[in-house]
DNA sequence: TTGAATTACTAAATCGTTTTAGCAAAAATA
DNA sequence: TATTTTTGCTAAAACGATTTAGTAATTCAA
């Protein structure tokens, strides 16, 4: 059951495939193909269920209508929602998306970028892992449509869409202070990622601005791929009564940390917010139904995804004016629930 | 900065592109290309950073090394984890994945299948929405590598990987009965989906086998795209004191229902498991940290994803023996937490 | 009534691979 | 020495579209 090609339609009607191509691309008028023939072509193409071969089109035109997406992990709802939005917005304009999960591993992302290059994608949306500057720089210099999301590298000039992480953490920390918390910890991952770094800087600044001392021992930095027990260990050190690091609040920089953290806190028999207050970045379902619903920094995921696609498609369609690089910083909102007391 | 092609390497060395193609495909020996030339080709290809154009390869060979995936919604962690596993297993064998979220909408899935056909994907992994029989049948008859996951259509002969939903619901319901619950409801979606249907059938059979009557008014069927308040309404009818439908346990057929349901139950000021016991299908993070950690039917998502890819690649590589269709039914496990009492 | 313009189309090149068929030179065999 | 075999390579077609440059037939203008 071979697929119908342009040529099949042409043979069927005794015309050239040039003509068929013109008609099916809506250029019948432009190339003065007679009404009558146009209709016949359309009819036969429907009759034979013609489906254009996008691969052949891609080879000829150099455009595949495909974009490559590299994120940390599509199974993580944060990226799931982002990916969903990107897929949807891209589909609106006739673009498909090849999804790649890098696991924050630069070697994987290198391979994925290479694969996407070979696949001749028209552009890239990437949430770059640490130590991937070289890859990103090479892409950016290669003059390929590219948008970074969630993080970026300050020294690379490139379209990017992020949230104001510093501000978000600053406000979250301030909220904890306003609620009367005196000693606040921060559990985070991998400070080589600029977004994470900015979160911790915002946290520090809020402490300083309110006259508190920043205690490095209250900042727990875990590796990206952390296990439940590593979070448990960090939490334990921060909440047990006789620990010299005993705190009354924790700011979690990711929801994965927060979810594991809440599990640990519960396991230790402590109550939120009575024994310890918490605020977390990101807004998974889990936080709505847990013992004490969690106050969160909510990121505008839909807007990030949608804007990323729009900027990317803009670049794809007008490759010329790559002069105006866009660096978009979106605002987050703090959703106040019960985990900080009242 | 044009990309290096086979021809560029050939010109650079003064040899034919045929030769270059042979060498780079590891067929130097087979076609008796001299060691010396082989080395030179390899060297120049590295020097010019040659990246094969997979689009051109695809056009020539008819194989794109790409698979199309259609699921309900990649933002839903259930499908996120599944998608992740599929991406990972496919990558192992050099295959890329185009992700499509159908929102359980047959018209969307129709368009997506068409798009994937045009993209010349080598095979399909699909979680088919209701009313998409015709599309699936057409694919299956078209003799294209295809694997269905999560659901299927009984009347279509096709590879499929599902879990034993009947058995899972039967055991879940039995667990509730063993824990002393007398009146058990089921909140579910869209019984036109066979997996959902089987869950409710398993629930009914468990009731019958233990001498209970099946009360249709205790089975709440919501539309697939339900709002929080629709769940709230169903829950309210089942748990309020003076309702004639008052139950002491609910089996949720999806985690989306369960999460919304727990929110509603809390909002009504009721306690789990004291006032009402619950069991839910699927195992999102939320269930681990909520007021009373939820007993769940856990599906082997990784195995589903991995097996789907393996069967699909088997079909892609041996298109001939499509005679042996595989219908795999995996077991679920019931993870007992605190939501049913003790 | 001739030259120009318009109409309605087509031939052929091209994109970057793969793959078949074949060729010239060297080596082996008779 | 003549023939066959082997070695080491190449030309060209093909995949299915797009696109440029053209051409023959008709109509129009002067």
């Amino acid at each position: 059951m071979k697929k119908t090609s342009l040529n099949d339609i042409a043979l069927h009607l005794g015309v050239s495939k040039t003509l068929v191509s013109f008609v099916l691309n809506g250029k019948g008028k432009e190339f003065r193909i007679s009404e009558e023939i146009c209709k016949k072509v359309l009819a036969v193409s429907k009759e034979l269920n013609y489906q254009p071969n996008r691969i052949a089109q891609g080879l000829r035109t150099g455009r595949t209508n495909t974009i490559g997406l590299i994120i940390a992990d599509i199974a993580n709802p944060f990226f799931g929602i982002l990916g969903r939005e990107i897929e949807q917005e891209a589909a609106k304009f006739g673009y498909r998306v090849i999804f790649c999960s890098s696991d924050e591993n630069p070697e994987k992302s290198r391979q994925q970028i290479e694969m996407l290059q070979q696949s001749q994608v028209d552009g890239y949306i990437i949430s770059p892992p640490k130590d991937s500057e070289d890859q990103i720089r090479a892409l950016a210099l290669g003059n390929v449509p590219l948008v970074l999301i969630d993080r970026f590298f300050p020294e690379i000039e490139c379209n990017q869409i992020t949230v104001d992480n510093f501000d978000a953490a600053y406000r979250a920390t301030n909220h904890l202070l306003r609620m009367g918390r005196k000693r606040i910890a921060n559990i985070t991952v991998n400070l080589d990622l600029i977004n994470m770094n900015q979160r911790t800087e915002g946290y520090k600044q809020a402490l300083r601005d309110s006259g508190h001392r920043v205690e490095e021992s209250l900042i727990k930095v875990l590796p990206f791929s952390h296990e439940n027990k590593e979070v448990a260990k960090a939490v334990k050190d921060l909440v047990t009564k006789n620990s010299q690091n005993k705190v009354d609040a924790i700011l979690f920089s990711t929801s994965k940390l927060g979810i594991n953290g809440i599990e640990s806190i519960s396991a230790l028999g402590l109550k939120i917010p009575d024994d310890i207050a918490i605020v977390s970045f990101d807004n998974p379902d889990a936080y709505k139904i847990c013992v004490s619903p969690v106050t969160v920094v909510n990121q505008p995921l839909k807007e990030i995804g949608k804007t990323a696609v729009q900027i990317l498609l803009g670049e794809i369609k007008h490759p010329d004016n790559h002069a105006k690089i866009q660096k978009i910083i979106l605002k987050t909102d703090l959703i106040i629930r019960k985990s900080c007391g009242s």
Side-chain angles (χ1 to χ4, degrees), chain A:
Chain A
M1 205 142 42
K2 223 187 107 275
K3 289 171 184 159
T4 308
S5 74
L6 272 193
N7 208 28
D8 296 332
I9 301 178
L11 290 175
H12 207 264
L13 282 168
V15 299
S16 72
K17 55 182 173 180
T18 307
L19 184 150
V20 178
S21 173
F22 286 156
V23 173
L24 294 181
N25 286 318
K27 297 181 180 168
K29 283 266 144 54
E30 184 183 343
F31 286 92
R32 301 183 299 261
I33 310 302
S34 67
E35 277 294 322
E36 190 194 9
I37 295 271
C38 278
K39 275 182 189 156
K40 278 189 190 168
V41 168
L42 262 3
V44 171
S45 114
K46 184 153 288 176
E47 183 193 332
L48 301 182
N49 186 31
Y50 172 70
Q51 303 285 358
N53 182 327
R54 303 283 176 205
I55 288 294
Q57 271 183 339
L59 179 59
R60 173 62 231 233
T61 63
R63 314 283 245 59
T64 53
N65 278 244
T66 303
I67 74 187
L69 172 66
I70 302 180
I71 54 188
D73 181 5
I74 192 63
N76 176 334
F78 174 83
F79 290 109
I81 295 172
L82 208 42
R84 176 60 210 276
E85 203 59 28
I86 288 171
E87 178 208 322
Q88 196 164 298
E89 188 68 13
K92 250 189 231 170
F93 298 96
Y95 281 75
R96 338 171 203 311
V97 182
I98 297 178
F99 280 63
C100 304
S101 297
S102 73
D103 280 322
E104 301 286 358
N105 176 339
E107 173 54 21
K108 265 196 194 169
S109 98
R110 222 211 71 248
Q111 289 172 12
Q112 288 164 339
I113 288 175
E114 191 171 295
M115 178 274 275
L116 293 171
Q117 277 175 319
Q118 297 182 353
S119 301
Q120 316 295 119
V121 296
D122 294 336
Y124 302 79
I125 296 178
I126 301 181
S127 180
K130 70 170 193 137
D131 297 334
S132 66
E133 280 104 320
D134 291 350
Q135 304 160 26
I136 300 301
R137 200 189 330 269
L139 270 186
L141 292 177
N143 216 358
V144 192
L146 169 64
V147 178
L148 301 186
I149 52 176
D150 195 39
R151 13 259 169 78
F152 61 93
F153 300 109
E155 69 277 22
I156 299 180
E157 275 301 304
C158 182
N159 295 304
Q160 57 203 37
I161 304 175
T162 52
V163 297
D164 192 338
N165 284 296
F166 181 95
D167 171 73
Y170 188 94
R171 286 190 292 135
T173 308
N174 250 335
H175 177 70
L176 285 167
L177 291 167
R178 267 202 312 278
M179 299 308 278
R181 302 296 158 158
K182 304 294 181 203
R183 202 143 182 259
I184 303 172
N186 175 218
I187 299 185
T188 182
V189 292
N190 213 329
L191 290 179
D192 296 331
L193 283 174
I194 194 153
N195 54 345
M196 293 302 154
N197 192 32
Q198 288 172 335
R199 287 172 196 183
T200 293
E201 288 305 319
Y203 151 85
K204 286 180 179 175
Q205 194 59 45
L207 290 182
R208 283 192 215 103
D209 286 358
S210 64
H212 287 74
R213 202 160 48 83
V214 170
E215 299 176 59
E216 290 297 337
S217 63
L218 301 190
I219 302 174
K220 303 286 185 184
V221 181
L222 303 190
F224 171 74
S225 296
H226 48 270
E227 298 292 314
N228 204 329
K229 51 187 169 190
E230 298 175 71
V231 183
K233 188 162 163 265
V235 166
K236 200 169 180 183
D237 182 50
L238 293 170
V239 301
T240 46
K241 272 218 173 66
N242 44 4
S243 164
Q244 60 175 12
N245 288 330
K246 177 76 169 65
V247 298
D248 56 8
I250 302 177
L251 169 64
F252 290 99
S253 287
T254 76
S255 61
K256 195 176 166 195
L257 289 167
I259 289 171
N260 281 325
I262 290 171
E263 225 182 327
S264 307
I265 291 169
S266 298
L268 291 169
L270 296 173
K271 296 282 174 249
I272 299 168
D274 304 340
D275 299 312
I276 186 134
I278 64 174
V279 177
S280 172
F281 269 75
D282 303 335
N283 188 19
D285 288 334
Y287 285 166
K288 290 179 205 157
I289 59 169
C290 69
V291 189
S292 176
V294 181
T295 293
V296 295
V297 171
N298 186 46
Q299 299 194 47
L301 294 179
K302 298 204 161 199
E303 200 179 345
I304 296 176
K306 195 165 177 174
T307 314
V309 171
Q310 287 171 351
I311 293 180
L312 190 74
L313 294 189
E315 280 232 358
I316 290 174
K317 266 152 202 165
H318 312 287
D320 32 324
N321 52 358
H322 57 275
K324 30 181 171 156
I325 278 171
Q326 303 198 48
K327 298 186 180 184
I328 295 181
I329 299 173
L330 299 171
K331 282 285 168 196
T332 57
D333 55 319
L334 190 67
I335 299 180
I336 294 177
R337 299 205 185 100
K338 299 187 178 166
S339 65
C340 307
S342 53

